[in-house]
Amino acid sequence: MDKKKKEKQKSGVPFIKRRSSSHKKEETVQGILLKNKKGFGFVTPEPSEESPESEKEKQDIFIAGKNLNGAMNGDLVSVVLSAKEKDNRSREGVIDKIISHGVKEIVGTFEKNKRFGFVVPDDKHFTNEDVFVKKSDWKNAETGDKVVVQITKYPEEGNNAEGKITEIISRFGETGGDIKALIRQYNLFQTFPSRVNAEAKAVSKVKQQGEEGFEAIREEERKGRTDLRQKKIITIDGADAKDLDDAISIEKLSNGNYLLGVHIADVSHYVAEDGPMDKEALKRGTSVYLVDQVIPMLPKALSNGICSLNEGVDRLTLSISMEIDSTGEVVRHDIFKSIIHSAHRMVYDDVSDMLEKNAVDLISKYDDIYKDILSMKELADILHKRRDLRGSLDFDFDEAYITLDDAGIPVTVETAERRIANQIIEEFMLIANETIAEHFYWMEVPFVYRVHEKPAPDRMDEFKNFVRGFGIAIKGNTENIHPKILSDILKEVKGQSYENVVNTVMLRSMKKAFYDVSCDGHFGLGVKYYCHFTSPIRRYPDLIIHRIIKEIIDGGVSEKRNKQLRKKADMASDLSSKAERHAQELEREVEKLKKTEYMSYHIGECFEGVISGITTYGFYVELPNTIEGLVRIESLKDDYYDYEQAKYRFIGQRTNKIFTLGDKVKIQVLRANVEDREIDFAMAEEK
C-alpha cells in the first residue's frame, strides 16, 4: 500500500482506487455532492475565476448511484469525468476520492433492536445511509424518537456509517416533535446560549415608575432624542404578533401634504456591537416563523419585551418623518433618534373592518385616531398609485394560514387575507426603506442595501413563450425589460383562473433579492435605492444600518471607523443573504409537512383546483387553500396523453382532450406521503 493511501485511511477519509483508463490524462473536478432520494447525485464544481457564476449552473456533474463509491451528501469530492457535455445535458462522472466529509451529525428517527440500533435520516438526501449505533451509545433513546447522531465512522467498503446519539430532540408522539426535528436538521436553535441570555436579561431591566406596567426610560437615555410621547402614534400588526418593531403616525398639513412618521424600535441601543447578542444575531441573520413556532433572532427579553413597541409604555426608537405630496413624492424628510409612547396596539383585522365595513363599534372604540386612520388610507392609496405608475411588481399570492390543534395536528389550511390595513403598513414601510436608502447613498457611507437584479434574458425569453400560450404578448427587448411591462401582465391576468400560475412562473423567472454594500437597485420595486430599515428585531441588516445611521446622526465617523463599518456591512450582507435563503427553505419544508399531513386525513375526498404546473410525468393541481398535489400521467386511463412541452400541456391521442396550465379541474385525493411531503391526486370521476 502506498504512503498516500495509508495517510488517507489513517485520516478516516476514504481513498477510492481509480479505475484504469486507456486515456493518458483523465479530467477531474472537485465539488460538493448533492444526493437525490432516488440514489443518484450531482456534484456542483467549486467556483473558480475561470468558471463564472453564469456558467457554473450548467456544469453540475451527474453521478449514478453505482458511481458514488461511499460518498455522502455534502461531501467534498473529486470526480473523474466520464463523458463530455453533449446537447446541453449534464456531464457524468465517477467519484474517485472523498476529500472531506461535509456532515458530522445527522437528524433522524431512532430504531432499536436488542443489541444495536439505527438512526434513519429525516433528510432524504441521505437515503439508504442509516447510521449504525451501538447499544452503549443510545443515550436512553427509544424507537420512534427524533435524535441527533454524531458520526464517529464514515461508510466504507459497503458498511454503514457508525455514530453515537448526542441529543434527543423529541420523544415519539411528542407534540411539535416533527417541527422541532426539522429545525434541528437545519442546524437552527430556538434557545440561546447562556451568555446571550445573560446579556439580554441585564440590558432589559428597567426601573418601574408610576402606575403598574409603566416601563420608564432612564434620564441619560433621553439625551439627544426627540420626545414624541405626546403624538398619536400607533402600531398595526397581526393579532398574534409579539415583536412589534414599527409604529406609525400621520398629520394632514395646511398645504394639503401628509406628514408621515415611521418609528422603528431602537434595537441597536440594547444590542452592543460585537457583544454576545450581536454575534448571535449576526449568526442567525433573521427570525424564522414556522406555523406555530418562532426561531427568534434575538432573545424574547428584547424581541417581545424592552424593544417591542407595546401599547402604553415608553420606548426608544429611530424615526423618519416624511412630508409627502398628493403625487406620493417625498418633498422633505428628517431622520432622528426619538422616544415614543404607543397610544394603541391595533390589529390588521380591526383597522380593515373600520375601513372596509364601517364597523361602528370599532370606530367608536378608536374615535381618537379614526380620522388618522382615514388619512393613512388616503396616503397609502397615493403611494400605491405612485408605485404602480413606475411599474413596481405587486405579486398578489395567496399565502397559507395553517391552524394546529393542541396535539400539533393541522385542522385547517386556509388562505391568509391581505386586507387594507396590511397594505397600508406595507406602503409606509416601503417608502421609509426607499427614503432611508437614498439618503445614505448620497452620504457615501458604509451601508447595507437590498438589491434585486433585472432578470436574465434567457429566463425572460422562456417567460415570453409561456405567456404567449395565454394570448399575452411581451413587446420589446427581453435583454433590458422594464418592470412596467411585467406589472401590466399581472394586471391583465388579475381575476383569471390562471392568475396564480402566471404570477408563480413570473416570480420564478426573476433573480433572488439579496443584501449588498453596493446600491444596485431593486428591479421588482422599480427603484434605484432600497434597503431594509423597518424590522431590526427580526432582520440583522436592519440592525446594522440602525447602528450606522445613529453614528452619522451623532456626528459622523472617522476614516478608520468607516473602513471598519464597511467590512462589517460586507460581512452582514453575505451572512444575512445566506441565512435568509436557509430560513425560506425551512419555512417551505414545514409548510409542506403540515399540508401533506392535513391531506392525509382527507384521502378519497374530492376538491376543485387549477392546474398549476406541467411536467413530463404529470401535472400539478393547486387547491384554493394553496395545497398542491400531482396527477400522474399514468393515472389517466381514458386515453394516452402526449406531453407538449412548448405549449405546457398534455393532449389525448384519441380524444384530443387537453390538460393545460390554468385549467379548472376536479380531483380526488389519492395518497399523502407525510415522510416525503408528497401528495398524489387523481382526476375525479365525472358523474
Side-chain angles (χ1 to χ4, degrees), residues 162-295:
E162 297 180 18
K164 61 179 181 180
I165 292 173
T166 57
E167 182 184 340
I168 297 174
I169 300 168
S170 62
R171 294 294 184 179
F172 176 67
E174 181 182 323
T175 300
D178 49 0
I179 295 180
K180 288 179 182 177
L182 264 173
I183 291 171
R184 189 64 179 81
Q185 181 181 312
Y186 276 72
N187 202 32
L188 297 175
F189 300 88
Q190 290 174 299
T191 57
F192 289 86
S194 57
R195 66 186 183 281
V196 175
N197 286 324
E199 186 188 15
K201 185 177 180 181
V203 301
S204 63
K205 285 183 178 178
V206 291
K207 185 179 178 182
Q208 299 293 318
Q209 291 184 353
E211 59 182 292
E212 184 179 352
F214 183 89
E215 299 179 11
I217 302 298
R218 295 191 300 273
E219 188 63 37
E220 60 268 26
E221 293 177 313
R222 300 182 188 183
K223 293 178 181 177
R225 292 183 180 271
T226 303
D227 193 339
L228 302 177
R229 287 178 292 176
Q230 301 308 312
K231 277 189 170 289
K232 285 187 288 184
I233 296 174
I234 65 172
T235 62
I236 308 177
D237 289 274
D240 300 329
K242 295 180 176 61
D243 51 351
L244 316 180
D245 50 11
D246 58 85
I248 53 176
S249 59
I250 197 165
E251 295 176 40
K252 287 285 287 285
L253 302 177
S254 57
N255 62 3
N257 290 348
Y258 299 84
L259 188 64
L260 172 66
V262 175
H263 316 281
I264 309 300
D266 188 358
V267 179
S268 64
H269 178 82
Y270 300 99
V271 179
E273 184 175 353
D274 293 329
M277 280 196 296
D278 190 42
K279 289 179 179 177
E280 184 69 17
L282 174 60
K283 179 182 173 183
R284 295 183 178 223
T286 181
S287 294
V288 188
Y289 299 89
L290 307 169
V291 187
D292 66 338
Q293 300 184 41
V294 179
I295 309 169

